[in-house]
Amino acid sequence: MLKLIEKIHVKSMTKLLKLVERLLAEPPEIQFSDINTLLEAFGFREIRSTGSHHIFRNDQGQNLVVPKTGGKMVKRTYIKQIIRLLDLEIWYAKHKNTK
């Protein structure tokens, strides 16, 4: 998964780092579009959505269900799950000096 991230253009990498910083601050909610961008950068793709629940899968077969409220926001509980699943704290520590 890290190889995929390392191929990201420098400008995109800066945007990704800023997005990860925002997630690590554990806001009460974040826009679904930002979560979608993050998951795509880490090799997940949306395979299905049913109502407010979006299901993502990566090449290793890991599934992640991301519910959104009000049609566009993801709650803190799911943000924390994504941080753990993607090991964002470790990833951020390795990449924060590439800004």
Side-chain angles (χ1 to χ4, degrees), residues 51-99:
S52 63
H53 289 69
H54 295 259
I55 302 168
F56 293 84
R57 180 178 293 150
N58 67 8
D59 291 338
Q60 289 78 37
Q62 287 180 301
N63 287 337
L64 176 64
V65 178
V66 180
K68 59 182 181 176
T69 60
K72 58 184 173 183
M73 302 304 285
V74 176
K75 295 287 187 184
R76 179 182 288 147
T77 300
Y78 305 104
I79 294 169
K80 288 179 180 182
Q81 288 177 2
I82 292 166
I83 290 169
R84 281 192 304 272
L85 175 70
L86 301 179
D87 288 326
L88 288 182
E89 290 168 336
I90 294 168
W91 182 88
Y92 181 73
K94 289 181 182 178
H95 293 88
K96 66 181 175 185
N97 295 325
T98 61
K99 282 186 180 180

Side-chain angles (χ1 to χ4, degrees), residues 4-20:
L4 176 72
I5 305 273
E6 290 170 358
K7 293 180 182 178
I8 296 175
H9 186 270
V10 174
K11 187 175 181 180
S12 297
M13 183 62 126
T14 301
K15 286 183 179 182
L16 183 59
L17 280 164
K18 288 180 182 179
L19 178 56
V20 170

